[in-house]
């Protein structure tokens, strides 16, 4: 494996600035790493497609740098989840139903990165339409965990985390609706941030659960995330749920001073439900926080027990509506045997996988007349309560701490036949999406089987900077995790 | 058979905002299929709607003009159903928190006046259009130009008691929307569409029975509304006598008006009705509407048809018939009033507008807004006539030339040397010459054959090449002949 691929995004930035390396050399190294791995016995399968034009774009950026007309991210390579649109590139969301669909426009986040000279390496694998926690529900086969290929990388942004973990990209964009960036980051031993709702424009991110979806970032280093966030965050006239907030002074990132930091430890997410190795890792992390002068207290948030239930009403409800447009009329797969109704049925039966179908059924059920009040309306009511509770918690605490996942990574196929167990995988992460606050997963330890374990910090809306600076302090700490 | 007719209307009004409801595509009628589209109105994956301020302002304006209260907090919802012309497979609409509630519109028919309650007005987006090839290929196409066009849906209470009242209600809505200048209100282009719910209350042996409610669609003109509903009243009365089906037993069905056959045709029964699975649109935040905003929009409402008519009749002294014709179209009424600022004679102006101008516009199928002659030019023409510079007949000829060229009246009169000879000295010269040249006729007149003056007048007109002011000339002739 080439040494070049070991650099973090910010290290690459420095090397490019010093002209010690060219972007083309770097992108070539990643391409070689990807190609070699693809020929291995058990390929990672993190990319659905490595862009053939990545190297040419990199050399174009090298020329801009020579001419001093380059942007802040000139030549920096980034991998992109297969549900974020780049004009002219395919975007399938890991689904057969979007087979052959080429994006006719570019997502706002991509446009902002592109403007500053970022080079996109390829499209990363994902659970179909971001529905899944293991990256096994993809039309393109499962992605494997770079730490141990018998294990899943977590989902749904499993491809994004895996390519970063396997040094096939220094950083990647994912999307997080219930934990889909943080869980893979945790399983692959990386930093993964889900910004607060509205921090990153959703324009051009293919919708799953519109009120929960956020683009997130996976990297080796909190500073890498801060760099990308500083370029692409902020209000977008094309997304009326985006927030007016300036993140431009976020980079360079300074490590946080944890003295007096008030940390809440909800008992609902830090108890018996977590595996031994996770609890051990959590205890170690809490010790470190205390050593840094943080003030850690246990609290109880009873409504946290309902988050999975609420999520599996709201997200499928929104998904059932968002995915109804895949009907074979305008784009994507079309199976037009018979009349219009046959075409709908044939196209959708053939195009969607079983997990997506399950959630469409659930969503249509909870929205249907006679059931709406009992499910959707009630779920939204609990969501409002939860949001209110977190508003109160954040008047007393700066950070809410829990593991990212109750368990270390599991093996491929282990939970495929048991959707409910798979759903419970997101028990620690979902609340941040329901409430709309930023949360980060930090690589905090290893299990007995040598698999990564992550800790999750959640903060107030707008406090991405605090989360990243604490993460940076952790990264800079002496000794190994 | 004794019964009451119960009708409620849903009127869809396409708004003439600059851009579409949730994207920046231009909002105009027609165009090359799929030429006015973008990721948002095509419903492409990843696209998001952004609300249009003009859409919201138009809704508030319409609501206030119809006496509605404006909700301080309103939101958009998704109405889910699959159809090729609906690219997202849901329509962004408003379900349980519409922007306007509880208004009132009084309609006038030959049967009298009736207050029709407005239940609500909500904002939504229009669909695209399915096009079925007529070349035998069985191919279907979709044109998304109309997709995302901003609409208002105005829903009445079931307060209308006859087809004529329903037609009058829709006409009145049409007129008001036009006065508010928020819609083209072109029924042929579908910018104002109406569906009606209709059933009967049948009275038999001291009991009241409600027949099944039927929704009538595809009524594309005021005439069609009345004809379709009249047909439906008869059909429901017959059905009651034959089957005695009540609303409770049969539920609601949908029928389409078929203009050619003059019948309504069953489209859907209750069992086939879609469950729209409404839920709040997560891509759009709820909207807070301030009292200040409402007030500032109210100031732009201006005079409504009813107020204008009262003013025209009572202040300008116009007849009811003239008033109605002048005020049906706001642009026409505005044109009329602009003439009055230069030529403050309402009756003469009305006569001219409803006579010559209307005749010209109708003949050429020209709308008043496309008419090249300005109100100031018409005023000038009327002043030229009134001062005697030109005759009534000349005025009509000059008008035709003005309308064709867009030139001012004076310009045409001067260029063609059309102005009338009213100068006494000049006329006297001609009159004396004519009397001298026709002594026989002059004597006839003096001997009591008064018709002889007609011949002499003809000679005066001939000698003056038609420019002599006829009234003045005749007066002078009789003076000279009698002296």
């Amino acid at each position: 494996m080439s040494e070049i691929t070991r650099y973090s995004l910010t290290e690459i930035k420095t090397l490019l600035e010093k002209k010690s390396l060219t972007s083309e050399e770097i992108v070539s190294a990643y391409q070689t790493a990807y190609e070699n791995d693809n020929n291995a016995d058990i390929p990672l399968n993190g990319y659905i497609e490595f862009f053939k034009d990545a190297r040419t774009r990199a050399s174009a950026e090298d020329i801009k740098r020579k001419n001093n007309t380059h942007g802040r991210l000139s030549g920096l390579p980034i991998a992109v989840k297969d549900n974020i649109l780049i004009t002219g590139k395919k975007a399938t969301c890991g689904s057969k139903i979007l087979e052959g669909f080429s994006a006719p426009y570019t997502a706002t986040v991509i446009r902002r990165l592109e403007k500053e000279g970022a080079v996109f390496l390829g499209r990363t694998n994902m659970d179909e339409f971001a529905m899944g926690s293991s990256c096994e529900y993809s039309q393109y086969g499962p992605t494997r965990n770079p730490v141990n290929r018998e294990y899943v990388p977590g989902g749904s942004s499993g491809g994004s985390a895996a390519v970063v973990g396997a040094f096939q990209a220094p950083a990647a964009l994912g999307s997080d609706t219930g934990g889909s960036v943080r869980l893979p980051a945790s399983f692959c031993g990386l930093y993964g941030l889900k910004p607060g709702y509205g921090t990153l424009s959703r324009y051009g991110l293919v919708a799953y659960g519109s009120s929960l979806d956020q683009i997130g970032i996976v990297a080796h280093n909190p500073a890498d995330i801060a760099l990308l966030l500083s370029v692409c965050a902020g209000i977008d006239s094309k997304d009326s749920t985006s927030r007016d907030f300036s993140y431009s002074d976020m980079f360079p990132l300074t490590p946080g001073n944890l003295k007096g930091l008030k940390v809440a430890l909800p008992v609902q997410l830090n108890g018996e439900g977590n595996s031994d190795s996770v609890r051990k890792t959590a205890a170690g992390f809490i010790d470190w926080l205390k050593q840094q002068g943080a003030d850690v207290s246990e609290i109880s948030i009873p409504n946290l027990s309902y988050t999975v239930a609420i999520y599996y009403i709201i997200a499928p409800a929104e998904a059932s509506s968002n995915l109804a447009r895949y009907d074979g009329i305008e784009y994507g797969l079309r199976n037009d045997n018979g009349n219009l109704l046959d075409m709908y049925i044939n196209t959708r039966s053939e195009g969607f996988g079983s997990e997506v179908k399950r959630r469409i059924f659930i969503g249509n059920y909870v929205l249907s007349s006679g059931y709406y009040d009992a499910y959707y309306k009630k779920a939204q009511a609990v969501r409002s309560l939860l949001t209110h509770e977190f508003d109160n918690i954040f008047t007393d605490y700066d950070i809410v701490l829990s593991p990212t996942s109750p368990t270390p990574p599991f093996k491929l196929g282990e939970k495929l036949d048991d959707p409910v167990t798979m759903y419970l995988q997101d028990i620690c992460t979902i609340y941040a999406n329901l409430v709309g606050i930023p949360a980060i997963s930090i690589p905090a330890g290893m299990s007995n089987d040598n698999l990564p374990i992550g800790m999750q910090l959640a903060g107030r809306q707008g406090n991405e900077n605090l989360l990243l600076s604490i993460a940076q302090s952790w990264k800079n700490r002496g000794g190994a995790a | 058979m004794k019964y009451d007719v119960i009708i409620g209307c849903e009127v869809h009004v396409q708004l003439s905002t600059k851009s579409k409801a949730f994207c920046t595509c231009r909002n105009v009628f027609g165009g090359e299929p799929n030429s006015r589209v973008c990721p948002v109105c095509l419903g492409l994956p990843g696209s998001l709607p952004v609300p249009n301020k003009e859409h919201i302002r138009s809704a508030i304006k319409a609501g206030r003009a119809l006496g509605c209260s404006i909700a301080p907090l309103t939101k958009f919802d998704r109405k889910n159903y699959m159809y090729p012309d609906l690219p997202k497979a849901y329509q962004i609409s408003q379900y349980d928190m519409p922007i306007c509630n509880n208004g009132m519109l009084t309609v006038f028919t030959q049967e009298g006046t009736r207050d029709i309650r407005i239940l609500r007005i909500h904002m939504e987006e229009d669909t695209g259009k399915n096009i079925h090839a007529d070349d035998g290929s069985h191919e279907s196409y979709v044109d998304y130009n109309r997709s995302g066009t901003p609409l208002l849906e105005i829903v009445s209470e079931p307060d209308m008691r006859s087809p004529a009242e329903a037609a009058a209600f829709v006409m009145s809505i049409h007129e008001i929307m036009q006065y508010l200048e928020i819609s083209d209100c072109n029924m042929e282009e579908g910018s104002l569409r109406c569906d009606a719910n209709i059933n009967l209350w049948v009275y038999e042996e001291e009991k009241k029975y409600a027949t099944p409610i039927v929704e009538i669609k595809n009524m594309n003109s005021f005439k069609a509304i009345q004809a379709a509903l009249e047909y439906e009243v008869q059909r429901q009365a017959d059905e009651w006598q034959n089957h005695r089906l009540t609303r409770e037993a049969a539920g609601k069905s949908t029928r389409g008006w078929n203009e050619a056959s003059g019948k309504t045709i069953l489209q859907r029964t209750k069992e086939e009705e879609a469950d729209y699975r409404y839920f709040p649109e997560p891509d759009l935040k709820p909207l807070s509407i301030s009292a200040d905003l409402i007030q500032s929009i109210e100031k732009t409402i201006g005079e409504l048809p009813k107020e204008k008519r009262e003013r025209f009749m009572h202040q300008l002294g116009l007849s009811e018939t003239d008033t109605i014709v002048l005020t049906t179209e706001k642009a026409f009424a505005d044109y009329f009033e602009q003439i009055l600022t230069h030529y403050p004679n309402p009756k003469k102006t009305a006569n001219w507008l409803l006579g010559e101008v209307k005749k010209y516009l109708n003949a050429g199928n020209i709308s008043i807004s496309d008419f090249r002659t300005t109100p100031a030019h018409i005023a000038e023409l009327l002043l030229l006539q009134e001062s005697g510079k030109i005759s009534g007949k000349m005025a009509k000829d000059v008008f035709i030339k003005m309308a064709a060229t867009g030139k001012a009246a004076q310009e045409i009169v001067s260029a063609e040397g059309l102005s009338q000879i009213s100068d006494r000295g000049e006329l006297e010269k001609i009159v004396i010459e004519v009397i001298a040249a026709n002594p026989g006729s002059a004597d006839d007149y003096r001997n009591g054959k008064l018709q002889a003056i007609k011949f002499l007048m003809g000679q005066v007109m001939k000698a003056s090449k038609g420019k002599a002011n006829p009234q003045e000339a005749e007066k002078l002739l009789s003076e000279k002949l009698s002296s």
Side-chain angles (χ1 to χ4, degrees):
Chain A
M1 193 178 294
S2 159
E3 278 304 309
I4 295 177
T5 60
R6 295 278 162 167
Y7 295 121
S8 75
L9 195 71
T10 37
E11 284 165 347
I12 294 172
K13 185 173 160 61
T14 312
L15 290 167
L16 287 173
E17 276 160 10
K18 284 191 190 149
K19 311 223 156 72
S20 319
L21 270 176
T22 65
S23 177
E24 204 205 340
E25 284 171 315
I26 296 162
V27 170
S28 302
Y30 283 120
Q31 188 168 351
T32 307
Y34 159 73
E35 282 165 358
N36 288 345
D37 185 273
N38 227 16
N39 294 327
D41 289 343
I42 310 172
L44 185 75
N45 198 29
Y47 284 108
I48 294 175
E49 177 191 0
F50 195 100
F51 295 144
K52 292 204 167 59
D53 65 354
R55 278 175 63 175
T56 18
R57 298 196 82 110
S59 38
E61 284 301 325
D62 287 331
I63 291 166
K64 281 188 196 162
R65 190 175 284 281
K66 220 181 244 166
N67 297 339
N68 233 355
T69 56
H70 59 288
R72 278 187 287 162
L73 303 179
S74 179
L76 295 191
I78 302 164
V80 179
K81 192 176 180 178
D82 193 33
N83 60 353
I84 303 174
L85 304 192
I86 308 173
T87 301
K89 303 288 189 215
K90 284 182 178 143
T92 70
C93 299
S95 178
K96 189 174 182 188
I97 207 149
L98 275 172
E99 215 169 56
F101 174 71
S102 273
Y105 73 100
T106 293
T108 297
V109 162
I110 295 290
R111 193 169 45 72
R112 290 179 180 174
L113 293 172
E114 217 164 32
K115 199 174 150 236
E116 294 298 335
V119 174
F120 304 114
L121 293 176
R123 299 184 284 131
T124 58
N125 200 12
M126 59 186 282
D127 286 301
E128 187 179 0
F129 282 101
M131 299 179 191
S133 306
S134 65
C135 211
E136 292 171 285
Y137 299 126
S138 167
Q139 160 77 5
Y140 301 93
T143 295
R144 289 167 183 273
N145 193 313
V147 178
N148 183 332
R149 298 203 176 190
E150 284 177 35
Y151 288 80
V152 301
S156 67
S157 312
S160 293
V163 297
V164 176
F167 301 102
Q168 294 177 15
L173 299 184
S175 70
D176 189 316
T177 307
S180 281
V181 161
R182 289 159 287 159
L183 188 72
S186 161
F187 278 13
C188 297
L190 301 163
Y191 291 85
L193 175 77
K194 179 201 90 75
Y197 190 72
T199 296
L200 293 180
S201 166
R202 291 183 295 120
Y203 189 74
L205 165 69
V206 180
Y208 156 29
S210 311
S211 72
L212 306 156
D213 292 340
Q214 252 303 282
I215 290 176
I217 303 165
V218 191
H220 291 288
N221 198 323
D224 299 352
I225 297 175
L227 172 63
L228 296 181
L229 199 62
S230 71
V231 168
C232 43
I235 197 156
D236 175 20
S237 62
K238 289 187 158 78
D239 176 359
S240 55
T241 63
S242 65
R243 282 157 38 82
D244 192 5
F245 203 97
S246 171
Y247 292 82
S248 50
D249 59 354
M250 189 164 238
F251 187 81
L253 181 67
T254 41
N257 177 1
L258 277 59
K259 204 166 176 67
L261 185 80
K262 292 197 170 122
V263 180
L265 207 59
V267 292
Q268 284 78 7
L269 304 180
N270 291 284
E272 301 293 320
N274 299 339
S275 74
D276 288 347
S277 57
V278 169
R279 290 167 68 183
K280 216 175 91 196
T281 303
F285 190 81
I286 292 164
D287 280 347
W288 172 78
L289 282 173
K290 286 178 176 165
Q291 281 161 24
Q292 306 303 306
D295 185 357
V296 183
S297 356
E298 280 201 342
I299 62 163
S300 176
I301 312 172
N303 280 327
L304 276 181
S305 330
Y306 303 121
T307 57
V308 174
I310 299 168
Y311 177 85
Y312 279 98
I313 291 170
I314 294 171
E318 291 176 357
S320 70
S321 173
N322 286 330
L323 272 63
R325 73 189 67 194
Y326 306 110
D327 54 8
I329 302 266
E330 261 190 271
Y331 45 77
L333 183 76
R334 176 190 289 184
N335 180 335
D336 61 357
N337 275 328
N339 63 23
L340 179 67
L341 182 63
D342 295 331
M343 177 170 120
Y344 287 158
I345 294 171
N346 294 337
T347 301
R348 291 167 66 83
S349 300
E350 187 188 332
F352 289 134
S354 60
E355 183 56 29
V356 171
K357 283 177 187 159
R358 183 173 7 252
R359 295 196 198 186
I360 291 173
F361 290 147
I362 294 171
N364 281 318
Y365 178 80
V366 299
L367 289 177
S368 60
S369 90
Y371 297 97
Y372 180 89
D373 286 359
Y375 293 101
Y376 186 81
K377 207 172 166 187
K378 196 163 271 178
Q380 287 291 18
V382 181
R383 184 180 186 182
S384 299
L385 278 179
L386 197 66
T387 306
H388 193 71
E389 273 177 347
F390 271 89
D391 282 346
N392 288 335
I393 289 164
F394 285 121
T395 59
D396 297 330
Y397 299 94
D398 302 309
I399 292 294
V400 175
L401 177 70
S402 73
T404 308
S405 160
T407 65
F410 49 91
K411 284 190 173 161
L412 262 76
E414 203 178 308
K415 297 189 176 180
L416 260 185
D417 300 326
D418 188 355
V420 175
T421 316
M422 188 75 97
Y423 296 170
L424 287 170
Q425 203 56 55
D426 293 330
I427 193 161
C428 300
T429 46
I430 281 172
Y431 78 87
N433 301 80
L434 288 172
V435 176
I437 51 176
I440 192 168
S441 181
I442 295 176
M446 298 299 261
S447 72
N448 298 336
D449 299 326
N450 238 359
L451 294 160
I453 292 171
M455 290 300 288
Q456 174 183 255
L457 307 180
R460 291 180 197 100
Q461 177 66 287
N463 263 4
E464 284 87 349
N465 207 351
L466 175 66
L467 302 182
L468 288 166
S469 65
I470 296 169
Q472 191 64 53
S473 305
W474 169 257
K475 173 92 183 172
N476 293 354
R477 80 198 182 282
Chain B
M1 184 178 171
K2 190 172 172 291
Y3 59 80
D4 281 334
V5 178
I6 312 295
I7 302 172
C9 285
E10 291 168 10
V11 183
H12 285 92
V13 182
Q14 261 183 7
L15 299 173
S16 47
T17 53
K18 276 199 199 77
S19 53
K20 290 186 181 180
F22 300 108
C23 61
T24 54
C25 286
R26 232 157 39 88
N27 176 32
V28 289
F29 176 75
E32 188 68 23
N34 298 311
S35 60
R36 290 184 292 109
V37 291
C38 73
V40 178
C41 57
L42 285 175
L44 292 183
S47 66
L48 296 171
V50 176
N52 179 341
K53 276 190 188 138
E54 275 305 300
H55 192 187
I56 299 160
R57 292 181 69 92
S58 298
I60 295 172
K61 200 171 180 185
R64 289 307 296 139
L66 291 171
C68 293
S69 55
I70 308 300
L73 185 69
T74 184
K75 68 176 168 76
F76 287 103
D77 298 278
R78 290 188 184 177
K79 178 180 180 179
N80 295 285
Y81 66 96
M82 288 177 79
Y83 205 56
D85 66 9
L86 190 65
K88 299 188 296 294
Y90 57 83
Q91 180 189 32
I92 303 178
S93 180
Q94 296 196 283
Y95 183 51
D96 55 350
M97 289 171 67
I99 185 161
C100 311
N101 294 285
N102 302 327
M104 176 81 82
L105 179 62
T106 306
V107 298
F108 305 87
T109 63
Q110 286 176 333
E111 299 146 31
T113 68
R114 196 182 298 277
D115 292 336
I116 312 293
R117 289 169 299 158
I118 309 283
L119 174 67
R120 58 185 281 166
I121 303 175
H122 68 252
M123 301 179 278
E124 59 184 28
E125 56 176 340
D126 212 340
T127 63
K129 245 182 201 165
N130 292 347
I131 300 163
H132 305 290
D134 50 10
D135 56 4
S137 65
H138 299 288
E139 297 283 353
S140 290
Y141 302 88
V142 194
D143 175 5
Y144 291 110
N145 280 348
R146 197 180 70 179
S147 170
T149 298
L151 296 178
L152 296 183
E153 182 174 330
I154 303 171
V155 184
S156 84
E157 294 281 7
D159 286 352
M160 285 149 271
R161 292 292 172 270
S162 70
E165 275 181 8
F169 174 78
V170 180
M171 257 186 262
S172 187
I173 295 276
H174 177 270
E175 212 170 65
I176 290 169
M177 294 305 126
Q178 205 215 113
Y179 265 64
L180 298 176
E181 296 176 325
I182 58 176
S183 169
D184 296 337
C185 286
N186 188 328
M187 286 186 92
E188 279 163 32
E189 292 178 359
S191 50
L192 190 127
R193 310 193 284 269
C194 169
D195 302 332
N197 285 291
I198 175 169
N199 74 335
L200 309 179
W201 284 346
V202 183
Y203 301 95
E204 280 181 0
E205 295 153 7
E206 317 254 312
K207 275 189 177 164
K208 187 174 95 175
Y209 301 92
T211 64
I213 296 176
V214 177
E215 180 171 354
I216 312 289
K217 290 184 173 289
N218 198 32
M219 302 179 291
N220 297 325
S221 65
F222 301 126
K223 241 193 216 160
I225 292 169
Q226 186 150 350
L229 295 175
E230 276 167 2
Y231 172 86
E232 190 59 20
V233 169
Q234 200 49 54
R235 194 195 64 77
Q236 291 191 13
D238 291 348
E239 193 181 65
W240 171 256
Q241 282 177 327
N242 294 331
H243 305 292
R244 299 184 62 85
L245 266 182
T246 62
R247 184 171 75 185
E248 292 73 24
K252 194 176 151 178
S253 59
T254 304
R255 303 179 73 89
W257 171 242
N258 185 304
E259 192 90 51
S261 69
K263 290 178 177 168
T264 63
I265 291 158
L266 184 68
Q267 289 180 335
R268 260 201 318 267
T269 58
K270 190 194 176 189
E271 291 70 39
E272 298 160 291
E273 292 257 309
D275 178 354
Y276 292 122
R277 289 155 289 134
Y278 280 101
F279 74 102
E281 165 59 286
D283 289 330
L284 296 167
K285 291 180 186 167
L287 300 168
S288 293
I289 296 170
S290 70
D292 284 353
L293 178 67
I294 298 170
Q295 260 174 23
S296 75
I297 293 169
E298 274 172 351
K299 283 187 192 134
T300 67
I301 288 179
E303 198 176 36
L304 292 172
K306 195 174 151 226
E307 296 153 15
K308 197 179 280 293
R309 283 188 187 134
E310 275 162 17
R311 184 165 59 82
F312 277 21
M313 287 193 286
H314 300 133
Q315 283 184 24
L316 304 183
L318 298 176
S319 71
E320 190 177 349
T321 326
D322 283 0
T323 297
I324 287 171
V325 185
L326 281 171
T327 55
T328 302
E329 199 186 338
K330 177 168 187 284
F332 201 77
D334 287 348
Y335 194 94
F336 169 72
E337 297 208 72
Q338 277 162 29
I339 298 175
L340 294 189
T341 62
H342 307 283
Y343 178 71
N345 186 331
K347 278 188 189 162
K348 278 199 178 159
T349 304
N351 285 343
W352 248 87
L353 268 187
L354 300 177
E356 297 310 308
V357 176
K358 197 103 190 148
K359 202 162 75 190
Y360 180 85
L361 295 175
N362 288 348
N365 201 11
I366 302 162
S367 81
I368 190 78
S369 44
D370 295 334
F371 188 40
R372 46 205 306 203
T373 301
T374 64
H377 287 171
I378 297 284
E380 187 189 84
L381 178 70
L382 295 178
L383 281 166
L384 283 171
Q385 189 194 339
E386 190 164 287
S387 67
K389 294 240 172 65
I390 56 172
S391 66
K393 165 133 196 349
M394 280 177 177
K396 288 178 186 177
D397 295 341
V398 170
F399 168 70
I400 297 297
K401 286 176 179 137
M402 286 164 68
T405 60
K407 285 183 181 160
Q410 184 61 60
E411 200 180 334
I412 290 165
V413 166
S414 308
E416 309 208 352
L418 283 175
S419 87
Q420 193 168 244
I421 303 168
S422 299
D423 179 71
R424 195 176 164 89
E426 212 174 320
L427 278 178
E428 205 167 46
K429 239 167 72 190
I430 299 169
V431 165
I432 291 167
E433 274 169 24
V434 165
I435 293 173
N438 299 281
S441 300
D443 286 344
D444 287 349
Y445 181 84
R446 290 186 187 111
N447 295 334
K449 275 180 85 178
L450 295 179
Q451 295 114 300
I453 201 165
K454 291 253 149 68
F455 172 77
L456 292 170
M457 262 304 289
Q459 297 305 304
V460 169
M461 293 313 281
K462 200 173 158 188
S464 70
K465 292 184 183 126
K467 291 183 196 169
N469 180 326
Q471 286 87 27
E472 293 297 318
E474 194 166 331
K475 223 162 81 189
L476 264 176
L477 256 182
S478 63
E479 259 179 57
K480 294 286 164 197
L481 289 168
S482 314
S483 62

